[in-house]
Amino acid sequence: MKVDLNSRYGLNPAHSEVVEACKLIEPCDTLDMGCSNGRNAIHLGQLGFNVTAIDTNPGAINMLQSIVNGEEMSNVKAQVYDINNASLSEDYGFINCTVTLMFVNPARINAVIADMQEHTLAGGYNLIVCAMSTEQHPCPVGFPFTLKTDQLREAYAGWELIKYNEDVGTMHNGAKLQFATLLAQKPS
Ligand SMILES: C[S@@+](CC[C@H](N)C(=O)[O-])C[C@H]1O[C@@H](n2cnc3c(N)ncnc32)[C@H](O)[C@@H]1O
């Protein structure tokens, strides 16, 4: 059995939605947006995905790169990149963006999502998990950006919504936090 590299390097397990999505998505060229120190990228790499992992934080990218170098994982590369640029240069079968969009400049959100969609191959997938702030559940955390009701669903009009929910969770301090979760497939 393969060693679990997330535990070997003290990384949290991959996001549960990433684990779930990988039951459906076959290994392919994949972009992990806002990868931090790589809990999702390493998991995807171990499953055979060909991963480009991007983050603005050079410390996180260096840490991920040192894991990748140490393990000789030629299918994972880590790069410093600012998502606000919305200027991806390659196309992917899977773009993962878990718990990252809320740190993006609100004025750039539409451009960032449009760029993700444009750089997804026909039949490819986008996974997004992002905090919301609604009248019923105002976001208790000061994120730069939060989604409104149905905003993400509407941004993916024309794609097949394999999963979409706007569930409310409870934080450690009891505060309610609403998240939108979307797994969508681009038409072939
Ligand atoms: C809460 S962490 C999420 C990490 C990872 N996606 C996960 O599921 O665990 C958010 C990450 O987004 C990165 N980030 C924030 N703004 C960014 C930007 N403009 N461009 C690229 N990465 C950014 C942060 O550095 C941080 O590593």
Side-chain angles (χ1 to χ4, degrees), residues 15 33-36 39-40 55-57 81-84 98-100 103:
H15 192 291
M33 297 178 79
C35 59
S36 188
R39 65 168 174 155
N40 298 320
D55 203 289
T56 34
N57 181 345
Y81 172 85
D82 185 348
I83 292 169
N84 288 309
T98 43
V99 229
T100 294
F103 298 100

Side-chain angles (χ1 to χ4, degrees), residues 12-16 18 32-41 54-58 60-61 79-85 96-105 112 129 143-144:
N12 285 331
H15 192 291
S16 56
V18 174
D32 185 21
M33 297 178 79
C35 59
S36 188
N37 49 17
R39 65 168 174 155
N40 298 320
I54 55 176
D55 203 289
T56 34
N57 181 345
I61 290 298
Q79 294 172 350
V80 174
Y81 172 85
D82 185 348
I83 292 169
N84 288 309
N85 290 337
N96 176 55
C97 190
T98 43
V99 229
T100 294
L101 271 193
M102 56 261 216
F103 298 100
V104 164
N105 177 350
V112 168
V129 177
F143 296 124

Side-chain angles (χ1 to χ4, degrees), residues 90-172:
E90 291 181 27
D91 295 343
Y92 301 92
F94 177 31
I95 297 183
N96 176 55
C97 190
T98 43
V99 229
T100 294
L101 271 193
M102 56 261 216
F103 298 100
V104 164
N105 177 350
R108 299 293 295 151
I109 283 291
N110 290 344
V112 168
I113 293 178
D115 193 46
M116 289 168 65
Q117 294 177 337
E118 194 181 319
H119 287 279
T120 304
L121 295 164
Y125 298 85
N126 284 184
L127 174 63
I128 296 176
V129 177
C130 179
M132 302 184 67
S133 191
T134 61
E135 226 169 87
Q136 256 190 325
H137 299 289
C139 183
V141 183
F143 296 124
F145 171 75
T146 45
L147 287 163
K148 296 295 171 207
T149 302
D150 283 332
Q151 183 177 353
L152 195 56
R153 186 202 302 275
E154 285 163 11
Y156 277 81
W159 288 47
E160 184 185 349
L161 295 190
I162 290 160
K163 180 172 199 172
Y164 187 81
N165 65 58
E166 297 183 348
D167 289 349
V168 180
T170 307
M171 296 168 69
H172 298 301

